[in-house]
Amino acid sequence: MAHTLSSVRDQVEINLLDSANLIWSTTILDEAIRAALLDLSRIYGEILTLNGLDAATETTFADQDLYVLIRGAVAYALIFRAVGRYEEATPEPTLAPSFAINAQETMAEFRALLTQADLRLKQNSADSPHSGWQWEESGGF
């Protein structure tokens, strides 16, 4: 399935319970998606693209990493909001700490998903140093 900025943004909005963009603007969500895609690119070892984001015309990450991207975008959106709440002229002290904890926990989940994706990509790699081991029993030496 070809994922686009619009379809990914819709899923991020659903995860944030903000389909009407009353809390997170599409500009903030796009930046959160961009940040998560950059982190995923580091795992892939190449710049990944999402059709519609920054004039990209194709999506270059695997379908199985869509959830990783979405959770990453959610984590970044929460962090952007938490930082914004702390930097307001009149921050709400009762909201920010619990919100910041939720943002940290979501980011930790994203980092764990990135680790899993990294391990999967290394396991499936045909390139050194992550390619399959050659054992004497298999005639590799």
Side-chain angles (χ1 to χ4, degrees), residues 118-133:
D118 185 37
L119 292 173
R120 185 194 77 244
L121 290 169
K122 286 177 179 169
Q123 181 179 15
N124 296 335
S125 176
D127 299 326
S128 180
H130 306 294
S131 56
W133 289 93

Side-chain angles (χ1 to χ4, degrees), residues 34-91:
R34 192 175 286 112
L37 189 61
L38 179 61
D39 285 347
L40 193 56
S41 292
R42 288 183 184 118
I43 297 300
Y44 272 70
E46 63 185 76
I47 299 297
L48 299 176
T49 60
L50 175 62
N51 186 0
L53 181 65
D54 299 329
T57 57
E58 64 179 335
T59 298
T60 59
F61 60 88
D63 286 344
Q64 59 196 19
D65 290 322
L66 175 64
Y67 184 73
V68 178
L69 179 65
I70 290 168
R71 291 310 292 167
V74 168
Y76 275 109
L78 290 170
I79 286 177
F80 295 163
R81 180 103 172 125
V83 168
R85 301 298 288 181
Y86 279 121
E87 293 181 351
E88 287 180 351
T90 56

